[in-house]
Amino acid sequence: MATTTDARDADIARAAAAIADPSRARVLRALLEGRALPASVLAGEAGVSASTVSGHLAKLLEAGVVRVERHGRHRYYRLTGPAVGEALEALARIAPPLPVTSLRQSTHAHALRRARTCYDHVAGALGVALMAALLERGVLEGGDGRFHPEAAEGDRLSAPGKDTTYRLTAPGRAELAAFGVDADELAGRRQLIRYCVDWTEQRHHLAGALGAALTDRLFALEWIRRGNRRRVINLTDAGRTGLERTFGVVLDA
């Protein structure tokens, strides 16, 4: 995409053609929050096959509106910069609203992003919100819960974290025990505190023995329930209220 500020010298038609396809527009909307997502997730967001989304991504790369980065063996796509996001937001302000369809509102990809299991612990928006709340309350210490790709050494997207050492505080140990999670009973089974770099939220969510025990407790209280799609979990009304009152977790409706 041209970087000049003079529209008379910019190839607007080329950029517009790349954005104009409905499937590519859905891909770009999925990337608007600044996340880097793999092709498989973007295919789900666009409602197309993996082979079809590859063609769309190639066109977006050629137009310069997205870029690709590698994390381990995986390729992730993100917008090339804030100017692309600003252009998409400007278009959204003048575009007519999309027709509401239940298919798009309840996609598997959207459900996975909101709340899912990552092996035996909670991930997605719910997982990172819980991690952030535990740090804010001083239950955990040692990091800020964020993925910093510019400073990462061992951390990468969609993988167990290595760069940050989180610790359970003494007040946090007591608070979790009152909630029904006894950290002393977890000692020796496996590493107590680990974290993953969440692949949709690109922040840290809690893993390890403590993450698994907290998840088990949320299921036991029926604050979360397993969804009807693989790995999807649903936050119940009791869970939304309970998490806010207990840990200060506030999630969008």
Side-chain angles (χ1 to χ4, degrees), residues 35-236:
R35 293 189 301 263
L37 299 176
S40 57
V41 173
L42 293 172
E45 290 287 333
V48 298
S49 67
S51 59
T52 299
V53 84
S54 294
H56 287 310
L57 288 169
K59 290 183 182 297
L60 293 171
L61 285 166
E62 182 183 4
V65 295
V66 302
R67 61 184 172 87
V68 65
E69 55 190 50
R70 289 186 176 274
H71 293 271
R73 298 190 303 272
H74 305 285
R75 290 161 57 92
Y76 288 77
Y77 298 84
R78 70 165 74 243
L79 299 182
T80 51
V84 179
E86 291 166 6
L88 294 171
E89 293 287 355
L91 287 171
R93 286 194 291 270
I94 64 173
L98 285 169
V100 176
T101 64
S102 59
L103 177 63
R104 291 305 305 162
Q105 292 173 340
S106 59
T107 61
H108 191 204
H110 179 72
L112 285 172
R113 182 185 302 155
R114 287 190 62 79
R116 66 183 182 277
T117 53
C118 176
Y119 300 102
D120 56 2
H121 53 271
V122 175
L126 176 59
V128 301
L130 178 58
M131 181 73 163
L134 294 175
L135 291 167
E136 177 69 22
R137 294 177 69 85
V139 174
L140 299 177
E141 62 181 11
D144 63 4
R146 297 177 179 274
F147 174 49
H148 300 280
E150 70 284 352
E153 295 181 1
D155 281 3
R156 59 183 177 86
L157 293 173
S158 188
K162 300 178 181 179
D163 292 344
T164 302
T165 299
Y166 288 106
R167 298 173 295 276
L168 179 62
T169 65
R173 188 179 295 270
E175 184 169 342
L176 290 178
F179 181 61
V181 175
D182 189 340
D184 293 333
E185 292 184 354
L186 303 175
R189 298 184 189 179
R190 61 198 259 205
Q191 187 172 339
L192 180 64
I193 299 174
R194 299 191 67 186
Y195 70 94
C196 296
V197 181
D198 197 277
W199 57 265
T200 57
E201 304 308 302
Q202 296 179 22
R203 294 170 62 102
H204 299 170
H205 66 244
L206 182 63
L210 186 59
L214 264 173
T215 301
D216 287 344
R217 182 61 175 155
L218 294 177
F219 275 122
L221 291 171
E222 295 192 342
W223 287 9
I224 57 174
R225 293 175 181 159
R226 298 194 183 277
N228 57 7
R229 300 291 296 274
R230 185 175 64 88
R231 296 181 60 200
V232 170
I233 57 179
N234 296 320
L235 178 65
T236 64

Side-chain angles (χ1 to χ4, degrees), residues 14-32:
R14 181 164 170 258
I19 297 172
D21 180 88
S23 294
R24 291 197 288 274
R26 287 193 288 269
V27 166
L28 293 171
R29 281 201 301 272
L31 297 174
L32 259 179

